Amino acid sequence: MTATAWTPEKVTGLVSRLTLEQKVAQLTGFAVTDLIVRGARSPDGGVALDVGRVAALRPHGVGHLSLAWFLGSDGESLRSALERVQDAVREIAPFGIGVLVHNEGISGMLHASAPQFPTSWAQAATWEPTLVGRAAAVTAATVRAAGIHHVLSPVMDLGRDPRWGRVHETYGEDPELVAQMSVAFVRGIQGADGESGLLATGKHFLGYGASEGGLNQAITQLGRRALVDEYAEPFRRAIAEAGLATVMNSYNEIDGIPSAADRWLLTELLRDQLGFTGMVVSDYDAVDLLLKAFHTAESPAQAAIQAVSAGLDVELPGDATYPHLVGEVKSGRLDERVLDVAVARVLAAKAHAGLVPEMATPRATSGPTAPDLAEAATVRRAIAERGLVLLDNDGTLPLAPRAGRVVVVGPAADELRIHFGAYTSVASAEMPLGMIALMSGQIPGVDPATFVFTDIFQTRMPGMDEKFEAEARRIHPDAPTVLDALRHIDPTVEHVGLGRFEADPDHRLDAATIEQAVAGADVVLAVVGERTGWAGNNTAGEGQSTAHPALPGDQEELVTLLARTGKPLVTVVVSGRPLLLDTVARASNAVLLAPLLGEAAGPAIADAVFGVANPSGKLPTTFPRHLGQVPIYHGHHFGSGYDHPTGTRHGYNDLADNSPLYPFGHGLSYSTFEVAFDESVEPAVKETAGIIRARIVVTNTSDVDGETVLQLYARDEAATVVRPVRRLLGFTRLALPAGASTTALLEVPAERLFYTMPDGSHGIEAGAVTVLAGLSSADIRCTTTINLSAATG
């Protein structure tokens, strides 16, 4: 049959030609692990596959291929393995419909062979969406070259609770920052007009990062207005501005209804209100959790009906519940038309990706066939340099190379893996090593007979640190540690092995020993932090919530004892989330945050320390002074939180200062800047035809070339719905030579101030709005007030 361009009508026609069993097959996942031949290896050294099993295991076709990152030892063997699976699926699938292969991509494609980038949190710290888009474009080329069509990224959750171990996967706490970064990522994957043939996935819908107690997969205690106006904003923007193709549900429950079974969430809000028309896929095992965790279903069939009826089109990673839909339709308990709608969405996505032979999609075969490794290296380094955040500095930084004796301490100084988060090449490589150790009885206190896969996230693995570090260095052989990079600039740098990630009563820190170790130092550089990932001795990552998110082990004590020596102390903190750093801040002369910068971390940190590069990163998330302030974020409501621009409110009576330790948008530089509204010709801020325009003069008042991020905020001074004390409206990164000035014009839609009004409409009431410009949410340099007319949209 001659292939013709796909249309919704043709997709509907194809659905009508499928049997009930074939329809359900398109709605389920199939794990590549089901094809692995145990104990055998492929010629390239990877896992051996028996693709002949496909026909027996899935005789009605395969909807989605899961866990593709387990295949292949390099890019070519991954492509070859996926091609073999794809061919086997097409042979047995109705009408030759191919399988939609997915992979993760927030830090680059999840595979040891793929170019990697700093974590999403680090990307957000650049406040430069173009870099996010460029990184995503490299990832797009990588997945296409491998034969992958569906990228399970980006994470659009607002990360406002540092106890939650997945903050590093997010773009931070603010709806506008997260929205701009998410839109850039989606465009990088799908192309400006969806021409790449690839599918990006916004996740997790909705409010996943606001779980009660910071616990993974716990209840989200948010009202619908907060969900719609704040937490759904990145999704709204990605749908409207970038044509987001896919959405993934979140693991939480909201007001007693699990997200995987919430029709208001997945249909009324996502589709009817936000205008989403694409495919909704489940997070791994989310449908099965309706039965096993939430107890809203009494059988797999009931769980499946709850999910598909709510608007969840696809069950991933396998088919634990959805095959029961066949019997539910035949019994009359489920209308087959519900399945038809879901199948049509899946087939439309497959047609877009070029997987339906009857429907040609030329764009699915256009574009680059391999990633641009030079571009990947350039972008990786740019993100690392611009994502470093100088939190404190009394003038100690930058150091002059060879100008004095520098002693480096801390457990993160000579470790590579600490700079990688979950969903990276390093985490992916650690997972099978951890599983082998667990299943072979190498981990004390763990019975392989009762161990289940999800236990790996929280199982401590003594004795595995050296193996994991060796694996990180094998995958990234050219990546230096911080110590290596410092010595590349100044070979005289000394290293003393002090400090541990895990407390050890047999190796306690001793003040006299520390005093002696740094006795001759002109400056001490402490490199501390926490490990983030899936398997191993991590304190952050998926399934790794922390009741007290502080530096683990004896690192805080180490910094305190170093400060007592009287030596100038520079502390580098490696972390993918805000930590409780009040003690570190008071003890240190300078504090530099390295937000999981991956293989470029060492050189970026060394360049910043020695002034080769000028730090310019800005925090995407607020840092609390004390755990009791959590959750703390800059856009809290009038009458709540820490900032009260119109009067005093109740605070914590045991805190001398209720403000954050480091506010949202904060980040110092070796340059200094002035910011002022430009009133030279006309009012600097005005609204015309629904666009707020602000002309702002920024001047580098130092003798050091530098970059900064100009930030524009606003607050609605009166409304019938309580509003935030400030909302980020827009921002721009500026590079200014020493002594130079520039005039920046920021233009933002007034719609960014819209909210859900009492009658349910989305808009803004007439009244005064204060516009604020500065270099952080707390460093506001100029303000003015304008009046906006009422508007809806």
Side-chain angles (χ1 to χ4, degrees):
M1 180 178 292
T2 302
T4 58
W6 79 277
T7 64
E9 294 74 21
K10 290 174 181 175
V11 169
T12 300
L14 181 56
V15 173
S16 68
R17 295 155 61 192
L18 298 178
T19 67
L20 180 57
E21 290 78 8
Q22 290 170 341
K23 290 176 183 178
V24 171
Q26 292 300 313
L27 305 182
T28 61
F30 180 71
V32 298
T33 50
D34 290 343
L35 304 178
I36 293 176
V37 180
R38 308 298 176 187
R41 308 298 292 180
S42 63
D44 59 80
V47 296
L49 295 179
D50 180 3
V51 297
R53 295 178 182 175
V54 172
L57 294 173
R58 293 297 175 88
H60 303 295
V62 181
H64 311 262
L65 192 66
S66 305
L67 302 173
W69 48 89
F70 281 119
L71 299 181
S73 59
D74 54 27
E76 176 56 29
S77 59
L78 172 62
R79 184 204 60 76
S80 177
L82 289 177
E83 190 175 73
R84 290 176 58 213
V85 176
Q86 189 71 256
D87 289 343
V89 169
R90 287 187 183 276
E91 286 183 6
I92 56 96
F95 311 108
I97 300 170
V99 59
L100 197 63
V101 184
H102 62 250
N103 204 331
E104 303 284 349
I106 55 172
S107 296
M109 186 179 80
L110 183 60
H111 198 266
S113 68
Q116 300 290 290
F117 298 97
T119 59
S120 296
W121 201 56
Q123 293 176 39
T126 70
W127 289 57
E128 191 167 1
T130 55
L131 286 176
V132 176
R134 288 172 65 185
V138 172
T139 299
T142 308
V143 300
R144 290 191 59 172
I148 294 167
H149 327 91
H150 188 191
V151 180
L152 301 185
S153 306
V155 173
M156 298 184 184
D157 297 303
L158 303 187
R160 292 178 168 177
D161 192 328
R163 294 172 296 180
W164 190 51
R166 301 187 70 173
V167 170
H168 72 288
E169 299 176 41
T170 77
Y171 294 121
E173 72 180 39
D174 183 84
E176 181 62 29
L177 180 61
V178 176
Q180 290 203 33
M181 296 298 179
S182 297
V183 167
F185 184 95
V186 173
R187 287 176 175 166
I189 294 294
Q190 296 183 178
D193 296 308
E195 71 272 9
S196 74
L198 301 175
L199 312 173
T201 306
K203 62 184 188 183
H204 307 83
F205 202 76
L206 188 63
Y208 185 38
S211 58
E212 187 174 76
L215 294 171
N216 202 43
Q217 303 182 0
I219 185 174
T220 293
Q221 301 279 19
L222 292 171
R224 287 195 175 185
R225 183 172 276 106
L227 287 167
V228 173
D229 294 349
E230 299 177 40
Y231 289 81
E233 180 64 13
F235 295 87
R236 180 197 307 274
R237 297 275 291 281
I239 291 165
E241 299 176 20
L244 177 66
T246 314
V247 164
M248 176 183 284
N249 76 282
S250 104
Y251 279 125
N252 59 352
E253 56 119 327
I254 300 171
D255 196 25
I257 308 297
S259 292
D262 193 335
R263 182 170 178 79
W264 172 79
L265 198 68
L266 301 180
T267 297
E268 295 176 29
L269 174 58
L270 179 60
R271 297 191 183 278
D272 299 344
Q273 187 168 339
L274 302 187
F276 180 69
T277 60
M279 177 177 63
V280 176
V281 301
S282 85
D283 206 339
Y284 276 22
D285 293 321
V287 181
D288 206 27
L289 289 177
L290 300 177
L291 174 68
K292 297 180 178 179
F294 293 113
H295 298 272
T296 61
E298 294 180 325
S299 66
Q302 195 174 74
I305 286 182
Q306 289 179 4
V308 76
S309 299
L312 189 66
D313 302 317
V314 175
E315 179 182 20
L316 296 178
D319 62 345
T321 71
Y322 270 31
H324 293 276
L325 293 173
V326 173
E328 296 305 291
V329 170
K330 290 181 177 179
S331 69
R333 288 185 292 270
L334 178 67
D335 191 330
E336 188 171 355
R337 288 175 294 184
V338 174
L339 294 188
D340 290 347
V341 171
V343 175
R345 291 171 184 154
V346 171
L347 292 182
K350 287 192 172 187
H352 183 80
L355 292 170
V356 181
E358 294 183 9
M359 302 177 200
T361 310
R363 59 188 167 187
T365 57
S366 63
T369 57
D372 184 337
L373 298 183
E375 167 72 352
T378 298
V379 175
R380 179 189 307 122
R381 186 61 182 268
I383 294 172
E385 288 183 352
R386 293 177 180 138
L388 274 171
V389 185
L390 184 60
L391 298 175
D392 267 321
N393 187 26
D394 66 358
T396 300
L397 287 179
L399 306 181
R402 301 175 185 267
R405 184 183 176 198
V406 178
V407 175
V408 179
V409 301
D414 200 27
E415 181 171 289
L416 182 61
R417 68 180 288 246
I418 192 173
H419 300 289
F420 293 83
Y423 294 96
T424 63
S425 58
V426 170
S428 178
E430 290 174 354
M431 183 68 81
L433 291 179
M435 289 298 296
I436 291 171
L438 287 163
M439 301 312 294
S440 61
Q442 298 178 39
I443 305 302
V446 177
D447 182 358
T450 59
F451 176 84
V452 296
F453 172 74
T454 51
D455 290 342
I456 196 170
F457 294 119
Q458 296 187 359
T459 302
R460 311 310 294 171
M461 296 187 180
M464 293 295 293
D465 290 344
E466 290 185 5
K467 292 182 180 179
F468 286 156
E469 175 67 8
E471 188 68 1
R473 297 190 184 209
R474 182 191 68 80
I475 297 171
H476 300 283
D478 299 323
T481 65
V482 174
L483 179 62
D484 293 334
L486 290 168
R487 284 175 169 168
H488 180 74
I489 296 175
D490 184 349
T492 67
V493 166
E494 300 176 29
H495 177 233
V496 180
L498 295 172
R500 296 175 179 274
F501 292 118
E502 295 191 78
D504 185 348
D506 295 328
H507 297 86
R508 299 185 63 87
L509 291 173
D510 175 73
T513 300
I514 290 176
E515 177 81 35
Q516 182 179 3
V518 302
D522 293 297
V523 63
V524 178
L525 183 66
V527 189
V528 297
E530 70 170 350
R531 291 170 172 149
T532 305
W534 282 328
N537 303 320
N538 305 303
T539 48
E542 187 168 1
Q544 294 280 352
S545 297
T546 310
H548 189 73
L551 289 171
D554 60 10
Q555 296 178 94
E556 189 172 291
E557 182 185 4
L558 171 64
V559 172
T560 299
L561 292 175
L562 288 169
R564 290 178 185 172
T565 68
K567 301 292 183 181
L569 175 62
V570 174
T571 303
V572 176
V573 178
V574 182
S575 175
R577 59 176 174 172
L579 296 176
L580 299 171
L581 297 179
D582 187 56
T583 297
V584 171
R586 287 186 280 106
S588 305
N589 298 86
V591 182
L592 186 66
L593 173 69
L596 302 189
L597 304 176
E599 61 194 284
I605 293 168
D607 283 357
V609 166
F610 285 114
V612 178
N614 190 351
S616 60
K618 299 285 188 176
L619 288 179
T621 313
T622 302
F623 276 55
R625 294 181 185 275
H626 190 278
L627 182 63
Q629 294 175 290
V630 172
I632 183 171
Y633 51 94
H634 86 93
H636 63 79
H637 283 197
F638 276 105
S640 301
Y642 64 88
D643 195 6
H644 309 292
T646 57
T648 59
R649 293 287 292 181
H650 298 290
Y652 298 105
N653 61 20
D654 55 348
L655 289 182
D657 189 341
N658 279 261
S659 68
L661 179 63
Y662 300 117
F664 173 79
H666 170 74
L668 304 178
S669 169
Y670 300 147
S671 308
T672 56
F673 301 91
E674 287 185 354
V675 177
F677 283 137
D678 179 7
E679 304 276 3
S680 60
V681 178
E682 57 182 346
V685 181
K686 61 181 182 179
E687 181 269 334
T688 306
I691 302 296
I692 298 173
R693 294 177 174 86
R695 284 194 331 279
I696 305 165
V697 178
V698 181
T699 303
N700 183 339
T701 55
S702 71
D703 58 1
V704 181
D705 296 348
E707 297 186 13
T708 192
V709 178
L710 176 63
Q711 301 164 38
L712 189 70
Y713 298 87
R715 66 168 174 260
D716 196 332
E717 293 293 359
T720 54
V721 173
V722 180
R723 308 306 305 131
V725 296
R726 77 180 65 78
R727 289 199 66 165
L728 178 67
L729 292 185
F731 52 89
T732 186
R733 174 174 278 272
L734 301 170
L736 288 172
S741 293
T742 190
T743 299
L745 176 63
L746 290 178
E747 297 181 306
V748 298
E751 186 179 357
R752 292 183 184 172
L753 288 168
F754 284 13
Y755 50 89
T756 302
M757 294 195 285
D759 64 359
S761 63
H762 192 238
I764 189 171
E765 298 158 290
V769 169
T770 298
V771 178
L772 314 93
L775 301 180
S776 86
S777 61
D779 186 8
I780 300 300
R781 304 295 182 88
C782 46
T783 65
T784 191
T785 300
I786 61 174
N787 287 298
L788 296 183
S789 301
T792 59

